[in-house]
């Protein structure tokens, strides 16, 4: 599985969902002017742009393990401190930020509890940690149609439903385990339009994330069979895909 991809490819695959989600997530998180914030797993900047707009570039630190995303974010946000790093080992001192946010990242952390605990460590007492993850377990994530088709052909496929934070209440459980308090939970839903089936299908062939890795590992015949099976799950064009994510906000 890889996220070492051009930012433009990521945008076509999941970035359009992420950008829409960021609008609701930053409101739910309660970020406001004057706060110093760290974004864990910034990617090419879907949430970063909202944070910069809300608090200004000099009050935003963004961290991501992908070299290509770090480079893209640095070019896009020259005033932001963008760093290479992982959630489980943030380089900042204790009590540095007013808030720590992770959009669509917890389910990719090697140790989600450790990552959330680190986010809490670098946040000042009384500050907050916020995170959101697609509802893959409940079948409401952006790739529900894709994974339904994949399961028809391969019942044992790893469809992301077992990843951390993807089921109702799990992000809350992870926050409790990380020692966070006053946890609030919500579901955020966005809609993404597509002009055609190929507009929807092609980004799965870019090799991005678990779905892209799954497609990349198929031979030509099985890839075409999956594509044809997906037709049964996708509405007639043009169409919209609704995608929902679980979100939490917790006090430190």
């Amino acid at each position: 599985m890889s996220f070492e991809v051009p930012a433009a490819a990521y945008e076509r695959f999941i970035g359009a969902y992420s950008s829409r989600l960021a609008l609701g997530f930053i409101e739910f998180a309660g970020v406001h002017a004057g706060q110093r914030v760290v974004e864990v797993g910034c990617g090419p900047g879907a949430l970063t742009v909202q944070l910069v707009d809300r608090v200004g570039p000099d009050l935003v630190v963004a961290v991501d393990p992908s070299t290509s995303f770090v480079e893209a974010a640095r070019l896009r946000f020259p005033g932001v401190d963008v760093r290479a790093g992982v959630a489980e080992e943030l380089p900042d001192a204790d009590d540095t930020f007013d808030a720590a946010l992770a959009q669509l990242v917890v389910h990719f952390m090697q140790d989600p509890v450790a990552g959330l605990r680190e986010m809490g460590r670098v946040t000042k007492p009384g500050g907050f940690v916020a995170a959101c993850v697609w509802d893959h377990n409940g079948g409401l994530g952006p790739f529900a149609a894709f994974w339904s088709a994949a399961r028809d052909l391969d019942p044992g496929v790893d469809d992301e439903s077992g990843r951390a934070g993807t089921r109702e209440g799990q992000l809350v459980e992870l926050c409790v385990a990380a020692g966070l308090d006053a946890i609030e939970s919500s579901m955020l839903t966005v809609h993404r339009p597509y002009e055609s089936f190929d507009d929807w299908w092609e980004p799965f062939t870019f090799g991005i994330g678990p779905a892209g890795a799954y497609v990349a590992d198929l031979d030509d015949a099985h890839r075409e069979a999956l594509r044809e099976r997906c037709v049964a799950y996708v509405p007639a064009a043009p169409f919209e895909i609704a995608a929902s994510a679980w979100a939490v906000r917790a006090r430190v």
Side-chain angles (χ1 to χ4, degrees), residues 90 107 132 137 152 226:
L90 296 175
H107 55 317
C132 62
N137 187 273
D152 286 349
L226 175 58

Side-chain angles (χ1 to χ4, degrees), residues 135-168:
D135 179 34
H136 291 306
N137 187 273
L140 298 178
F143 309 138
F146 173 87
W147 288 123
S148 292
R151 285 194 301 270
D152 286 349
L153 302 176
D154 179 7
V157 65
D158 178 2
D159 59 5
E160 301 186 73
S161 64
R163 290 182 175 270
T166 62
R167 63 168 172 80
E168 183 175 5

Side-chain angles (χ1 to χ4, degrees), residues 17 141-145 190-194 200 233-235 239-243:
Y17 291 100
F143 309 138
V190 298
H191 296 81
R192 201 290 203 192
Y194 290 92
W200 176 87
Y233 286 97
V234 175
F239 58 91
E240 284 190 344
I241 296 293

